[in-house]
Amino acid sequence: MVEISIDNANRAGALANMNLEDLNKATKLGDESVILVREHKTVATHGPARIILSSKLYSWITIFVREVRSKVAGETKSSSERVFISLSGEALGSNQINKAIKSVWKKAGMKGSLSSTLIRKSAVSKVHTSSHSNEEQGNLADLMAHII
C-alpha cells in the first residue's frame, strides 16, 4: 500500500475502495497496469481514480489476492469486495489505510509520520518547484484528481 501511495499520490480512499472488479478490469499501458477505481471522493467531478502499477507490483497484488486475501475469514469471491480487507474480512477504511502506511514507515525506521495526504502534498510541491511545464503539472493534477 505504501508503494502504491508513493507511486500514485492517491487519496487513501482510492486504495480503500479499490474492489476486485476494478483490479480484474485493469488495462495494460506499456509495462504498467491501470486500475480505475469507480468509488472515491471526487468521482462526481473527476471520474474514476487511476491507480497505475508497475508489472511487478500488479503481479504482487494479484498474488496477494489469490494467496493471502483468499485465506481471510469472511472473505468472499464477490467482485464488489474490496481488495484490501482486515483479518475479520471487513473492508479497510481510508483511516486504516493511513494507519498501515504509518506503521510500515515506522517499522522501516523512518523518522516522522507519513500519510497519504503528506505524500500528495509532497508530490505537488516537488512538481511545482522542479517543473515549469504546464503539461507535467496538468498530468499530476489529472492523476491526483485535482483541478488545475
Side-chain angles (χ1 to χ4, degrees), residues 6-122:
I6 290 171
D7 288 352
N8 290 273
N10 292 106
R11 289 178 178 86
L15 279 180
N17 293 330
M18 181 170 55
N19 62 41
L20 296 174
E21 180 179 9
D22 297 334
L23 182 64
N24 292 332
K25 287 184 174 180
T27 58
K28 293 290 282 179
L29 183 62
D31 289 339
E32 299 172 320
S33 294
V34 180
I35 300 170
L36 299 177
V37 178
R38 289 162 178 79
E39 291 182 43
H40 68 95
K41 181 179 175 180
T42 59
V43 69
T45 55
H46 295 287
R50 283 177 299 289
I51 297 177
I52 301 171
L53 305 174
S54 66
S55 58
K56 181 169 78 171
L57 191 51
Y58 180 78
S59 70
W60 286 352
I61 290 178
T62 57
I63 291 168
F64 165 79
V65 168
R66 185 180 65 241
E67 301 296 331
V68 178
R69 187 186 181 286
S70 65
K71 310 254 185 310
V72 171
E75 182 272 346
T76 69
K77 300 287 187 220
S78 170
S79 63
S80 64
E81 289 285 323
R82 303 289 189 240
V83 171
F84 299 109
I85 57 176
S86 69
L87 289 175
S88 64
E90 298 293 319
L92 294 181
S94 58
N95 61 331
Q96 292 166 303
I97 297 291
N98 272 318
K99 284 180 184 177
I101 290 170
K102 287 176 191 208
S103 175
V104 169
W105 191 254
K106 185 177 180 180
K107 287 178 183 173
M110 304 304 288
K111 296 192 186 300
S113 183
L114 186 66
S115 68
S116 60
T117 300
L118 184 56
I119 293 168
R120 290 171 64 76
K121 287 180 179 183
S122 297

